[in-house]
Amino acid sequence: MVLAALAIRTMTILLTTLNARYSHASLGLRYLLANMGELQPVTQIQEFVIGARSTDIVEKILALRTPGEKFIVGFGVYIWNVIETTQIVAVLKRVAPDVVVILGGPEVSHETGDQEIIRLADYVVTGWGDVSFPALCQQILQGPQPLMKVHAGLQPPMAEIQLPYHLYSDQDIRHRTLYVEASRGCPFKCEFCLSALDKTAWPFDIDQFLQEMEGLYQRGARLFKFVDRTFNLNIKTSLKIMQFFLDKLEAAPHDPVYAHFEVVPDHLPDALKEGIQKFPEGSLQFEIGIQSFNTEVQALISRKQNNDKAAENIRWLCEHSHAHLHVDLIAGLPGETMESFAQGFNKLVALGPHEIQFGILKRLRGTPIIRHTEAYQLAFDPQPPYTILANKDIAFADMQRLIRFARYWDMIANSGRFSHSLPLILADAAFENFMALSDWMFANTDATHRIALDKLAALVNKWLLEVQGTAAEAIQLAMSSDYAGQAMHKQGNKSDPSAPPRQTRKEASREAAKSLPQRQARHMAA
Ligand code: SF4
């Protein structure tokens, strides 16, 4: 179907979303733009950040329309922005009811019958939007008008999807995280996860993908965040990707790249380990999903994981590689008690990853976890992000304690600000001691957010001294090291960035720390 040239010049399609932070550049919108075909010249992207006023955003959106012309606005809807996007769509349809609103994204791809935002919108594309969104726009502009509101996105062969990386602007490359993907989907079926519905993974052509990465690198990109659900699924491909980065690191050690991958923990063959070992400090991060070490829970939620192998691999990574490890656990899964979660947590702490991402179970729309609702009395918050409130084994009050634990853990342990004090806090019972600190902190502050660093340090100090009975000298030594480490890290950020022509690996990794995400840099400095 070919559009009239006049129509192509005058109409506009806006692709928009609310990112969680400015630094997150939306890969999804760039995919849509790259695949708009002949509509691409009249399509543009405008991203916003959550927290802005709905009316301001609507005003900015409407300022982009050509008066008197048809205007299509496509919103990317995710769990973190659905509440605000609903408000924006409501205001937009009030003040400009003729604007055509199309929704897409995981939050509107399932359970479409009972969502306010879908009631307000004109159309929804569920699942993959690469070919179905442009096709729907063509139909809206050319007619006949689509009869159905909800359109199931077609999944084209991977080779037919245009890659979007040239659409990252120079500004994006300089200031934002660049998300990239060498594959989509996941072959595993963990019931709390939306990727469980994929049943398999689909790779992009690896050579073409690496050519795109080369293009980004040549334009100055140094931080690459892979969103592939399982980087180490196909080891041949993983090795090719790692070699791409190793070549860059070798060619320009003074200007290092940094790559982030999600990996399954029980699959690290020797060839992969060899490659991992070659990465210098500050150039590699792994996000590793453990979720639970409880085999009964794993069986209940259809998560296949060899716990011994997973633990062995995490230990190996800690001891024999420079990879920064960020390991995920989830509290609130069906069948997981406070005690079994504590055991898993302690086991993980003993393995020594740099960060433990302590997540609380959420009921993502479309995930099969709800089949346990009755048997395990799963009670989820009806509002996004649909966090679990209580279940058969963990009462509401205890789930609240776990949520606070997660928050304080992030501030104290994951932040890297208390690297020397943390061992004093955790001692020989990490979960139990940190829970005691967490309960005490909340009782004394009634707050889990906006606690200034100095106040936080004073609270930790007081708890160690007065509640835990830790020796004052040991606390002082640890605290002063933590403060000294932070001061050094700050100084490092201010130092002259002009690097000598050749550097040792250690020097190069110190250089890398300056451009690293803050937490990793602090963990390296500790
Ligand atoms: S949790 Fe990870 S391994 Fe499991 S289905 Fe989701 S993406 Fe796949």
Side-chain angles (χ1 to χ4, degrees):
M1 202 180 287
V2 178
L3 286 169
L6 179 65
I8 288 178
R9 271 200 301 278
T10 52
M11 74 198 167
T12 307
I13 300 166
L14 183 69
L15 303 171
T16 189
T17 193
L18 277 78
N19 297 317
R21 292 183 187 162
Y22 166 75
S23 60
H24 299 177
S26 168
L27 180 60
L29 294 190
R30 285 163 180 78
Y31 262 113
L32 290 183
L33 182 56
N35 288 279
M36 289 303 286
E38 64 175 10
L39 293 177
Q40 199 182 76
V42 292
T43 306
Q44 61 174 296
I45 289 177
Q46 174 75 58
E47 294 169 276
F48 299 97
V49 179
I50 54 172
R53 282 178 6 157
S54 314
T55 45
D56 290 347
I57 291 179
V58 171
E59 196 179 349
K60 284 180 183 150
I61 288 173
L62 289 176
L64 295 167
R65 80 184 292 189
T66 308
E69 298 299 333
K70 199 152 208 168
F71 189 43
I72 298 175
V73 183
F75 285 93
V77 190
Y78 300 86
I79 196 167
W80 65 80
N81 69 20
V82 61
I83 292 179
E84 290 180 36
T85 309
T86 305
Q87 286 164 1
I88 290 162
V89 174
V91 174
L92 183 60
K93 291 302 276 185
R94 271 292 164 92
V95 298
D98 56 324
V99 170
V100 180
V101 170
I102 307 179
L103 308 177
E107 185 62 14
V108 290
S109 289
H110 306 276
E111 304 171 17
T112 49
D114 62 350
Q115 296 191 55
E116 173 66 1
I117 192 167
I118 291 178
R119 192 187 64 73
L120 293 165
D122 297 288
Y123 302 104
V124 183
V125 177
T126 62
W128 296 37
D130 310 87
V131 296
S132 298
F133 179 78
L136 179 60
C137 290
Q138 290 272 23
Q139 212 185 331
I140 292 166
L141 296 163
Q142 284 284 94
Q145 291 307 298
L147 295 176
M148 306 290 289
K149 184 169 197 165
V150 180
H151 298 252
L154 294 177
Q155 182 179 336
M158 299 303 273
E160 285 176 19
I161 298 175
Q162 300 300 315
L163 298 183
Y165 302 108
H166 60 288
L167 296 172
Y168 280 126
S169 67
D170 291 344
Q171 179 88 347
D172 294 333
I173 287 175
R174 269 198 302 278
H175 302 294
R176 308 175 79 187
T177 303
L178 300 187
Y179 294 99
V180 301
E181 61 178 3
S183 66
R184 288 185 184 173
C186 180
F188 301 108
K189 299 188 180 62
C190 317
E191 293 179 18
F192 56 83
C193 176
L194 259 182
S195 298
L197 306 178
D198 295 334
K199 299 190 173 59
T200 187
W202 303 273
F204 286 98
D205 179 86
I206 187 63
D207 295 322
Q208 196 193 348
F209 172 76
L210 289 177
Q211 226 172 4
E212 296 287 330
M213 296 304 99
E214 180 69 33
L216 284 176
Y217 181 83
Q218 293 303 338
R219 291 175 61 204
R222 293 296 179 269
L223 280 173
F224 293 79
K225 191 159 186 178
F226 280 70
V227 295
D228 301 51
R229 305 319 309 245
T230 358
F231 170 69
N232 52 337
L233 207 56
N234 179 332
I235 298 302
K236 227 169 115 189
T237 306
S238 316
L239 287 173
K240 250 186 160 172
I241 294 173
M242 287 209 307
Q243 195 56 49
F244 170 85
F245 289 107
L246 286 170
D247 289 346
K248 303 296 174 217
L249 287 160
E250 194 171 336
H254 55 283
D255 184 17
V257 283
Y258 174 86
H260 170 113
F261 302 106
E262 287 187 31
V263 293
V264 284
D266 50 3
H267 186 53
L268 280 192
D270 288 345
L272 201 58
K273 285 181 175 170
E274 265 174 48
I276 292 168
Q277 273 185 310
K278 293 181 189 155
F279 278 81
E281 211 173 359
S283 59
L284 186 62
Q285 171 157 302
F286 285 140
E287 180 157 347
I288 301 174
I290 285 288
Q291 320 309 2
S292 171
F293 273 122
N294 184 329
T295 48
E296 282 168 33
V297 173
Q298 287 167 354
L300 260 179
I301 61 166
S302 315
R303 183 173 171 85
K304 288 200 170 74
Q305 178 171 288
N306 179 333
N307 286 341
D308 292 340
K309 197 79 199 151
E312 187 189 313
N313 285 338
I314 292 173
R315 188 175 294 111
W316 182 89
L317 286 166
C318 289
E319 291 173 0
H320 300 284
S321 83
H322 295 298
H324 188 270
L325 304 186
H326 182 136
V327 185
D328 301 339
L329 278 183
I330 299 180
L333 288 167
E336 189 87 273
T337 62
M338 199 78 145
E339 292 69 32
S340 72
F341 182 80
Q343 273 172 22
F345 186 88
N346 288 343
K347 179 171 175 173
L348 188 52
V349 168
L351 295 174
H354 302 90
E355 292 187 35
I356 296 176
Q357 174 67 43
F358 182 152
I360 309 292
L361 179 64
K362 295 177 177 52
R363 192 196 78 82
L364 305 183
R365 285 183 188 276
T367 52
I369 194 94
I370 48 168
R371 74 187 181 98
H372 302 293
T373 301
E374 215 173 302
Y376 287 86
Q377 297 161 25
L378 308 179
F380 292 97
D381 191 331
Q383 293 301 315
Y386 318 114
T387 306
I388 191 146
L389 300 168
N391 64 25
K392 184 163 79 71
D393 296 297
I394 303 180
F396 175 64
D398 280 335
M399 204 68 88
Q400 291 295 101
R401 291 172 69 215
L402 284 168
I403 290 170
R404 288 193 287 271
F405 182 122
R407 175 68 195 139
Y408 292 132
W409 180 261
D410 216 36
M411 289 159 68
I412 294 170
N414 287 346
S415 71
R417 294 182 191 280
F418 294 87
S419 304
H420 298 86
S421 312
L422 191 63
L424 297 181
I425 299 169
L426 304 183
D428 56 358
F431 181 87
E432 294 73 8
N433 287 338
F434 201 88
M435 182 59 97
L437 170 65
S438 171
D439 289 343
W440 180 90
M441 293 253 291
F442 189 66
N444 282 274
T445 62
D446 207 25
T448 52
H449 288 78
R450 296 199 185 90
I451 303 178
L453 182 57
D454 282 352
K455 185 173 178 195
L456 189 62
L459 285 163
V460 170
N461 195 331
K462 193 170 161 62
W463 181 81
L464 280 169
L465 191 67
E466 295 178 11
V467 182
Q468 202 70 338
T470 310
E473 305 76 49
I475 300 171
Q476 205 188 352
L477 192 66
M479 286 271 172
S480 55
S481 300
D482 286 335
Y483 270 77
Q486 279 156 41
M488 267 170 58
H489 172 61
K490 273 188 195 151
Q491 261 183 9
N493 276 343
K494 281 183 199 150
S495 67
D496 182 357
S498 57
R502 297 289 304 171
Q503 290 172 305
T504 62
R505 286 206 146 178
K506 194 77 189 167
E507 285 166 338
S509 58
R510 262 187 238 122
E511 274 299 309
K514 292 178 197 169
S515 59
L516 278 179
Q518 293 263 309
R519 285 178 174 192
Q520 286 88 320
R522 280 191 216 110
H523 290 136
M524 274 172 62

